[in-house]
Amino acid sequence: MPGIEKLPIEETLEDSPQTRSLLAVFEEDTAAISNYCSQLYQAMHRIYDAQNELSAATHLTSRLLKEYDKQRFPLGGDDEVMSSTLQQFAKVIDELSSCHAVLSTQLADAMMFPITQFKERDLKEILTLKEVFQIASDDHDTAINRYSRLSKKRDNDRVRAEVVEDVYTSRKKQHQTMMHYFCSLNTLQYKKKTAMLEPLLGYMQAQISFFKLGSENLTQQWEDFLGTIGTSVQNVRREMEEEVRQMQDTIQEMERSCDSIYAPCDPDPAHSPVCRNLTRKQGYLYIRNKTGLVSSSWERQYFFTQGGNLMQQGRGEVAGGLVTDLDNCSVMAVDSDDRRFCFQVTSFDGKKVVTLQAESRKDCEEWIATINNISKRIYLSENAEELAARVNQTAIEAVTPSPSFQQRHESMRPRHVGRTSSISSVGSDPSPALSVLSLDALVAPDTPIQFDIISPVSEENSGQSKSSAQSGRRSNPFGEGGDSTSEDESILHQLFIVRFLGSMEVRTAESPDVISETMRQILAARAIHNIFRMTESHLLVTCDCLKLIDPQTQVTRLRFPLSTVVQCSSHQDNKRLFGFVLQSTGGRGDGRAVCYIFESNNDGEKICDSIGLAKQIAFHSEMDLEEQSRLIAASSRPANPSASDGHVLVLSHSHSEDSDAGDEVKKRGESDA
């Protein structure tokens, strides 16, 4: 090729400085060619590796598309159209994978092989010749220097012959090596052009062959298929954009409407009133778990009602677990030392107590109302929410006196009380007293209701306080008397777990319907004023008095002398509700009468029977312990089967005295016998 400089091989024997300078230029050019060739080799090798990776990836893609039918997607159904479309794509991509494999083989033969040969063979050969030439040149210089140092005075033929032979050998070796080195450098000027053009020519020919092969495989049929798929993709994209737009509108609307509920507290109770008609509810609550005798921890769980059960479920759990049964349970708001908005759910048998914390007061009241509705089994009806609304509306209207009671009778007829125990059912057929007495005759309108436990005001208690003050003895502020000898010696001690619902003053203590009316008034007032808290106490029944004892401190909260208890009764439908009436003065027709309503874990009739038994033992206080024990044993057996269904027990003095007289006659008969 004209214009290419070359090294003069004829001047290798002379080895002039000009020849050495020209050799240095060729060596510098060889180094530049070697560096550039290495970079070009790396770039072409990347193309080859990428093509191999593309061929393998294409084959893997085709295999995955064929296995689409074997996949089980949780949200994807059996889409036959999608499956068939992917199978067609798998067929096309499999053919393309074969084309890519052919292209990889052509690139290896036509592109990588020529440049690899130039890099590994030609360039390395020149580097080897350069090292050999450098060694031969150094040996020649050493031999010439030794020859030039031969002494003229001490001429030795043998030494001179060795030096001459050494110069001959080194010069010949240098000359031959230099000629081959110059030849390789001159040849490199041609090889560098072919080594760059041949790989590029092979690359282009391989690509053209690949495109021709792909054009043969992608016929007009595949072009129509791809056009149809493109149209389907555009339709799906438009549907997606429409769905995204709707979701964005929903997000903006919810952000505007839910801005007030982001705060955990209730900023405006009037804006979001408490819904008391719920029979199902779910949400996050904190549950208190005991970690020791006196220590506890709070854990946040997701709670939901399922039928008559309260369930909880933690994050990451597949299903929820049962917390407690809500049928016939009791729920009330409680105060916690370290938490707010707490409420307590007690099972129907009182064995399991669950303490929960809501996020706000509204949420707490809704949970309490929902559990109350479930405990009444309202959820079993067809229209549960409508029935709950009617029940709550009835509770609200219950505090308004009905005009029909005011206009039923114009005259008041005296009520006859028999000598024996009068027993009737509360809430069943109207009694004679209810038919003649209006609501005003039982409970005075606008009578305040006491929802917390307070000590009763009676002349007996005030007299005791005065006598204790005069004698210099300090009275117990919690209602305990100083002298408890008679109470400790009492033969009857029965303890019940009760919860105080409320108390209010009544106009009459004689009517058996006064307790049922008081129950209705107190329960309705609690529902209207959102009062769910109930104070739990232990009711101790003795022969002298009734005591309400704090279960934690064992301090007596209230003490009711047994002589002031006029009557007690339980509710007909809810057996756990009971109450009794206290007469603060000695006379039954005069003075202040107060009715106390409680909820118990036991049957209310049992508590009423226990109070009646205590009254009988108190009136037979002159009997010895053996006779009192017989009386307790006789009272534990049902003497009158027809009275087992009763709920009201009138504790009259005449009844007790007549019973006492009957017992004395019986004792005399036994002694005579």
Side-chain angles (χ1 to χ4, degrees), residues 341-582:
F341 314 130
C342 296
F343 61 97
Q344 182 174 286
V345 182
T346 306
S347 60
F348 68 96
D349 54 0
K351 295 182 179 180
K352 187 170 184 180
V353 179
V354 181
T355 304
L356 303 170
Q357 181 198 12
E359 192 176 74
S360 61
R361 187 177 303 279
K362 173 179 176 293
D363 195 23
C364 178
E365 294 180 4
E366 286 186 350
W367 271 104
I368 292 175
T370 303
I371 295 176
N372 270 327
N373 294 334
I374 294 176
S375 66
K376 300 174 184 176
R377 298 188 177 183
I378 298 178
Y379 66 93
L380 297 177
S381 60
E382 295 182 358
N383 299 324
E385 294 188 0
E386 295 181 2
L387 179 59
R390 290 198 300 269
V391 170
N392 292 326
Q393 184 64 26
T394 303
I396 293 175
E397 295 174 353
V399 296
T400 305
S402 176
S404 60
F405 286 98
Q406 305 287 345
Q407 302 172 1
R408 180 172 298 178
H409 296 281
E410 297 178 356
S411 61
M412 301 290 292
R413 291 181 297 176
R415 178 177 177 271
H416 175 70
V417 180
R419 295 174 65 253
T420 58
S421 300
S422 61
I423 301 173
S424 62
S425 298
V426 175
S428 58
D429 295 335
S431 62
L434 186 60
S435 62
V436 299
L437 293 179
S438 64
L439 293 179
D440 293 344
L442 297 177
V443 180
D446 300 330
T447 301
I449 300 176
Q450 184 66 42
F451 297 107
D452 293 330
I453 294 179
I454 60 173
S455 298
V457 180
S458 63
E459 296 178 358
E460 181 180 355
N461 292 341
S462 60
Q464 290 179 357
S465 61
K466 291 180 181 179
S467 60
S468 61
Q470 292 175 1
S471 60
R473 297 176 59 184
R474 185 173 57 183
S475 61
N476 194 329
F478 294 98
E480 291 183 317
D483 187 9
S484 60
T485 305
S486 61
E487 297 176 5
D488 295 338
E489 295 178 355
S490 176
I491 190 173
L492 179 64
H493 283 82
Q494 291 188 353
L495 191 67
F496 304 94
I497 299 177
V498 298
R499 286 173 292 276
F500 181 70
L501 294 177
S503 63
M504 61 186 301
E505 185 176 354
V506 295
R507 290 190 173 184
T508 176
E510 297 291 339
S511 173
D513 301 308
V514 65
I515 297 180
S516 62
E517 178 63 23
T518 305
M519 287 182 182
R520 188 180 67 86
Q521 293 277 6
I522 290 178
L523 293 178
R526 278 182 169 269
I528 292 175
H529 299 290
N530 302 329
I531 300 175
F532 300 100
R533 178 184 176 185
M534 295 183 290
T535 305
E536 185 172 288
S537 303
H538 289 170
L539 176 63
L540 179 62
V541 180
T542 66
C543 298
D544 297 325
C545 64
L546 305 179
K547 283 186 178 182
L548 287 180
I549 302 175
D550 191 322
Q552 301 294 333
T553 61
Q554 300 301 318
V555 175
T556 301
R557 293 172 173 169
L558 285 179
R559 181 180 182 275
F560 307 111
L562 202 59
S563 59
T564 63
V565 180
V566 179
Q567 65 166 317
C568 64
S569 67
S570 62
H571 198 274
Q572 179 186 8
D573 298 329
N574 191 349
K575 301 299 182 180
R576 295 180 300 173
L577 296 180
F578 74 98
F580 51 80
V581 181
L582 300 180

Side-chain angles (χ1 to χ4, degrees), residues 157-427:
D157 296 338
R158 186 178 61 82
V159 174
R160 186 174 62 254
E162 291 178 358
V163 173
V164 171
E165 182 67 23
D166 191 12
V167 170
Y168 171 79
T169 304
S170 60
R171 182 172 291 174
K172 180 179 178 181
K173 183 178 179 181
Q174 178 189 4
H175 184 230
Q176 293 177 353
T177 304
M178 195 173 185
M179 286 189 298
H180 288 286
Y181 185 39
F182 278 22
C183 180
S184 298
L185 290 176
N186 291 334
T187 307
L188 182 64
Q189 299 302 317
Y190 297 91
K191 287 184 177 181
K192 72 178 181 181
K193 299 182 181 297
T194 59
M196 295 179 185
L197 295 178
E198 286 182 358
L200 296 177
L201 180 62
Y203 173 75
M204 295 305 299
Q205 289 178 350
Q207 292 291 342
I208 292 173
S209 177
F210 171 75
F211 291 143
K212 288 182 179 180
L213 187 61
S215 176
E216 294 175 358
N217 292 330
L218 297 177
T219 59
Q220 183 66 29
Q221 179 182 359
W222 290 115
E223 291 181 0
D224 297 340
F225 169 72
L226 295 178
T228 304
I229 297 301
T231 304
S232 301
V233 169
Q234 294 297 328
N235 295 333
V236 173
R237 188 178 299 277
R238 283 193 295 269
E239 293 178 1
M240 180 189 67
E241 292 176 354
E242 180 65 21
E243 183 67 22
V244 169
R245 186 186 63 80
Q246 294 179 1
M247 289 189 294
Q248 292 293 338
D249 296 341
T250 304
I251 290 173
Q252 294 178 2
E253 182 179 356
M254 292 187 66
E255 286 179 351
R256 291 191 299 267
S257 61
C258 298
D259 186 69
S260 59
I261 65 175
Y262 289 149
C265 58
D266 300 330
D268 188 5
H271 181 69
S272 57
V274 178
C275 182
R276 304 189 183 280
N277 307 331
L278 301 176
T279 57
R280 292 181 300 174
K281 189 170 176 60
Q282 63 278 340
Y284 281 96
L285 297 173
Y286 280 90
I287 182 171
R288 184 170 64 182
N289 300 320
K290 289 187 177 181
T291 58
L293 294 178
V294 296
S295 60
S296 61
S297 63
W298 294 85
E299 183 181 6
R300 190 170 186 259
Q301 295 284 339
Y302 185 80
F303 288 82
F304 60 95
T305 59
Q306 189 176 48
N309 299 325
L310 179 62
M311 313 289 288
Q312 71 173 357
Q313 184 177 2
R315 289 185 177 178
E317 296 180 359
V318 179
L322 177 63
V323 179
T324 185
D325 186 7
L326 299 181
D327 287 341
N328 296 324
C329 72
S330 61
V331 58
M332 62 179 177
V334 295
D335 289 335
S336 179
D337 296 336
D338 56 343
R339 298 280 174 143
R340 302 181 302 166
F341 314 130
C342 296
F343 61 97
Q344 182 174 286
V345 182
T346 306
S347 60
F348 68 96
D349 54 0
K351 295 182 179 180
K352 187 170 184 180
V353 179
V354 181
T355 304
L356 303 170
Q357 181 198 12
E359 192 176 74
S360 61
R361 187 177 303 279
K362 173 179 176 293
D363 195 23
C364 178
E365 294 180 4
E366 286 186 350
W367 271 104
I368 292 175
T370 303
I371 295 176
N372 270 327
N373 294 334
I374 294 176
S375 66
K376 300 174 184 176
R377 298 188 177 183
I378 298 178
Y379 66 93
L380 297 177
S381 60
E382 295 182 358
N383 299 324
E385 294 188 0
E386 295 181 2
L387 179 59
R390 290 198 300 269
V391 170
N392 292 326
Q393 184 64 26
T394 303
I396 293 175
E397 295 174 353
V399 296
T400 305
S402 176
S404 60
F405 286 98
Q406 305 287 345
Q407 302 172 1
R408 180 172 298 178
H409 296 281
E410 297 178 356
S411 61
M412 301 290 292
R413 291 181 297 176
R415 178 177 177 271
H416 175 70
V417 180
R419 295 174 65 253
T420 58
S421 300
S422 61
I423 301 173
S424 62
S425 298
V426 175

